[in-house]
Each structure stands twice: as structure tokens, then as C-alpha cells.
Amino acid sequence: MNSFWRKAKSFFSQEKVILFFYVLAGFVIALQHYLHGSYNNYKIFKASTAHLLARQNLHVEYPNEYFDLFLYHPTFAVLFAPFAWLPMWLGMCLWNVFSALMVFYAIKFLPISSKQKTFIWWFIFVELMTALHNLQTNPLIAALIVWTFVNLENQKTVATGFVSSLGFFIKGYGGISAALLPFYRKDFFKNVFVYLIFFGILAILPAFVVGFDQLPRLYSEWQTLLVEDHKVNYGVSIIGLICTLITTSIPIIYIQLVGLICLGLFLAYGFFLVKNQDITLRISVVAYLMMWVILFNHAAESNTHVISVVGVAFWYLISPKNKLTKALVIFVFILTILSPTDIFPKIIRDKYVIPYNLKALPILLVWLHLQYLVFTQKYQPLHEQNN
């Protein structure tokens, strides 16, 4: 029996095997949704390119084409064009496989050991499948944040500027990766300069489709949508937990303001007061950003948590392996990762997890623990390995 488990562990630790499962998941999930006719999110993306070409408002309802709204940056309608021009089934499959591959390769190039990469790949796999079922951009946003870190570690200034700014122009909160730039002091000004160049290029990209005279209109319509969306959503987040478990009398903006203060204090402490500015600290910052950006996101959905779960995996790498951290990571796996699946008891999910936004609770506890580790500098040193 021990021999069987050793062989199984060895087999599922192979990079090519993990890559196969990531590609298979992306392809099969997309094909499943195409055959069942349940791909509204992809319809929104595909239609957004057509609406942009027709100079229509991207951010209003089109009930004859799809339900819900296009909540993304106008530039994303341009970036999605290569998929929008493909037949529906092919575009869906390639989009999902592309998203899965972006996550896979972002982890592959992390400056950590093979064992640590294997842990991350498998720990996030179920959550990644949940996100792929929604055919949204969340896996891509998670990958771009990790890619920003990877490029910064490898001093790839141009790649850093591109992927860091790209996240914002897919969906606004994807721009959180720019908060990593100050932690690379040697190349800070160069990185910021290149980042601003790419930011400017991506900001005006839709103008090459609709004309520069129409660009202000696009941004005005996008801003109007964001303001209206902010008024009605709580999200699977700290905001959702407070508003469903405690009170709805606290305005959302106040909760997010507290979140901004926490973020500022964390970044300032790590930047100014931690003497050892090593990879362990920088990974802790990545973990913090990936959890924070979802926990304080009023529009966070269940599938959005693929971003925070990657952050949890990073947190676990640098955490002391004691009873508390092991209990927390198991709690995340059960309540955050498994709760949307058929493995989890449906009655508990429908009666408690979804109504009270409990999927965010384990992420909140890990986020608090990460702050404790950094402020007390009790995180476990992570030695860079290239094997």
C-alpha cells in the first residue's frame, strides 16, 4: 500500500501530468457549458467586441443577447477580439484553456522549489475549476498578479510594465499588482516609467477602434456603471460577511476605507520597518494583495476567490507549519474551495454558506494571520530554489 501511494504521489507530482489536467479542465469545462448552452459570461465578452466596433454603449443591458452587464474595462473589449472572432465553441475552449495555462505557467516560473509549486498547483486546482466554470477573467487576473511578481524577481522591466498594467485594463482591481513595484527599490523608477508607458498605451487602445473623439464617452459610461454597481453589491467578502452577519447600517465605503488603511499600514511596515527585504517578505506582500483585493471587493463572487486562494497558497509557503496554520489551510480547503462543489453538503451550502457569504470567512482568518506573521516577523524564511 505504501508503495502504491509513493508511486501515485510521484506520478501526480510530475509537471507534465499537472499541465495535462489543467489543459483538460479548461477544455472539458468549456465544452460542457457549450453543449448545455450555459455560457452567458462568454456571450457578454464576445458581444462587447461587436458593440465596441458598432460604437455602442458597452455598459448597458442587451437583453436580446445576454443577461447581466459588461462590467469590464473598455480596453478588454479590444483585447478579447481574437476570441470573439472565432466560432463560439472554439473560442470558449481556447479562452478557458488559455486562462488555465496562464495560471499554470505563472506558478511554474515562481522562484520556489518544485515541491512548493506542486503544492500550489494542486491546492488551487478545484478553485480554478470553479472559476473556469464561469468563463470569466478571474484566473487571468490571478495569473497576471503572479506574473508581475515573477517578472519583478527576474528584473524583466518591460514584461513587468505590461502584465502589471494589463490587469487593470481587464478589470479595475487587477491593477493591485502595481503595489509590488516599490519593493524592488533598485529598479523602482525604471519599472514605474515602463509601467506608465504601457498604462497609457492600453488606456487609449479603444480609440483606435472607435476614434479618439469617442474615448471620453467610453470612459464616462464605464464610470457610471461602476458607481451604480457599488451601490447594490456586498460581495462574497468582508463586506458581505458584515452586512449579512452583523449589520447593514455601515456604508460600504467605510468598510473599504478601513481596508485601505490596513493595506497602507501593511505595505508601509513591510517597506520601511522590515530589515530583511528578501523573497519571503515579497511573497507575503503578494499573498496579502491577492487576499485583500477580494476581501474588500464589494463585487466579489464565489468564482472570484481563485485570486484569494492563490494568495492563501503563498501564505502557507511562508507560514510556520504548526497546528494553527494547518487548521486554517484545511478550513480554507473545506469551506472556501469545496463549498461550491457537489462534494459539499447542499443543505449547508444553500442555507448557510451562500446566504451569509461564509466562503470569505476562512480567507479573512488567513489574511489576519498573515498580518500577524509580518508585523511580528514570525514568517518562515523561504529560500529561493531553482530545482
Side-chain angles (χ1 to χ4, degrees):
M1 184 63 71
N2 289 335
S3 175
F4 170 80
W5 285 115
R6 281 198 300 270
K7 289 180 181 179
K9 182 179 179 181
S10 176
F11 176 77
F12 286 105
S13 296
Q14 295 181 59
E15 185 177 302
K16 60 183 180 182
V17 172
I18 301 170
L19 174 60
F20 170 78
F21 277 100
Y22 269 60
V23 172
L24 182 66
F27 178 80
V28 170
I29 289 170
L31 193 60
Q32 174 189 356
H33 282 276
Y34 176 77
L35 294 175
H36 291 171
S38 56
Y39 45 89
N40 185 71
N41 289 322
Y42 191 85
K43 287 180 181 178
I44 295 175
F45 297 162
K46 186 178 178 72
S48 70
T49 301
H51 294 157
L52 184 70
L53 290 169
R55 300 191 177 190
Q56 295 173 296
N57 189 336
L58 297 174
H59 305 295
V60 295
E61 293 182 349
Y62 290 92
N64 293 330
E65 300 179 56
Y66 52 78
F67 64 89
D68 210 343
L69 293 163
F70 179 73
L71 298 170
Y72 299 76
H73 194 284
T75 297
F76 180 61
V78 182
L79 299 173
F80 196 77
F83 298 97
W85 290 331
L86 295 172
M88 186 71 78
W89 71 271
L90 180 59
M92 287 174 59
C93 291
L94 290 179
W95 167 250
N96 250 19
V97 170
F98 172 72
S99 297
L101 287 176
M102 283 290 290
V103 173
F104 177 87
Y105 280 104
I107 296 167
K108 173 183 168 62
F109 288 104
L110 283 168
I112 58 179
S113 69
S114 298
K115 182 178 180 181
Q116 291 164 333
K117 293 175 188 177
T118 300
F119 163 74
I120 299 175
W121 275 323
W122 286 120
F123 180 73
I124 70 169
F125 185 66
V126 175
E127 189 65 32
L128 175 63
M129 288 197 293
T130 297
L132 292 174
H133 272 289
N134 285 271
L135 297 160
Q136 289 189 359
T137 61
N138 297 305
L140 190 55
I141 296 296
L144 290 172
I145 295 172
V146 177
W147 272 115
T148 299
F149 170 70
V150 169
N151 289 325
L152 283 167
E153 288 293 315
N154 291 316
Q155 298 181 314
K156 295 184 177 180
T157 302
V158 174
T160 294
F162 176 66
V163 298
S164 183
S165 57
L166 183 61
F168 175 81
F169 288 96
I170 293 175
K171 208 163 188 180
Y173 58 76
I176 191 66
S177 61
L180 290 169
L181 299 183
F183 287 88
Y184 297 81
R185 303 184 188 192
K186 181 180 177 181
D187 299 318
F188 175 70
F189 291 105
K190 183 169 62 173
N191 285 332
V192 170
F193 178 72
V194 175
Y195 171 84
L196 291 175
I197 290 175
F198 277 109
F199 195 94
I201 292 171
L202 291 169
I204 64 171
L205 189 61
F208 293 99
V209 178
V210 301
F212 282 87
D213 60 319
Q214 294 293 309
L215 194 61
R217 174 185 63 81
L218 286 178
Y219 277 101
S220 176
E221 292 165 351
W222 181 53
Q223 181 183 17
T224 299
L225 173 73
L226 294 181
V227 171
E228 291 302 315
D229 181 63
H230 194 275
K231 294 178 181 178
V232 298
N233 284 337
Y234 293 153
V236 186
S237 61
I238 287 178
I239 301 166
L241 286 169
I242 291 173
C243 291
T244 54
L245 292 174
I246 303 174
T247 178
T248 59
S249 62
I250 303 176
I252 292 174
I253 191 64
Y254 291 168
I255 301 173
Q256 292 178 323
L257 181 60
V258 171
L260 283 172
I261 294 172
C262 291
L263 175 64
L265 290 173
F266 182 89
L267 295 178
Y269 180 84
F271 185 78
F272 292 110
L273 298 179
V274 177
K275 293 181 180 179
N276 298 321
Q277 299 283 330
D278 60 2
I279 188 174
T280 309
L281 172 68
R282 294 191 292 270
I283 280 187
S284 76
V285 175
V286 180
Y288 189 94
L289 294 175
M290 297 187 82
M291 287 185 276
W292 179 89
V293 77
I294 304 304
L295 284 173
F296 289 93
N297 185 347
H298 68 281
E301 300 173 316
S302 175
N303 63 87
T304 316
H305 276 276
V306 66
I307 300 169
S308 67
V309 166
V310 176
V312 170
F314 279 27
W315 156 82
Y316 193 67
L317 293 184
I318 64 169
S319 298
K321 304 305 182 285
N322 52 38
K323 291 181 180 179
L324 174 59
T325 57
K326 290 178 181 178
L328 283 174
V329 81
I330 292 171
F331 191 35
V332 169
F333 191 77
I334 293 174
L335 189 56
T336 299
I337 295 176
L338 292 184
S339 63
T341 72
D342 292 336
I343 298 174
F344 198 85
K346 186 177 185 298
I347 187 170
I348 298 176
R349 178 175 61 246
D350 293 346
K351 192 172 182 180
Y352 299 104
V353 178
I354 294 176
Y356 297 106
N357 298 298
L358 294 182
K359 178 168 180 169
L361 179 59
I363 307 297
L364 171 59
L365 297 179
V366 170
W367 177 73
L368 291 171
H369 185 261
L370 176 60
Q371 291 179 99
Y372 164 77
L373 290 179
V374 173
F375 285 134
T376 59
Q377 296 186 44
K378 291 184 177 179
Y379 46 79
Q380 181 174 299
L382 181 71
H383 300 292
E384 183 173 344
Q385 300 181 48
N386 296 316
N387 58 321

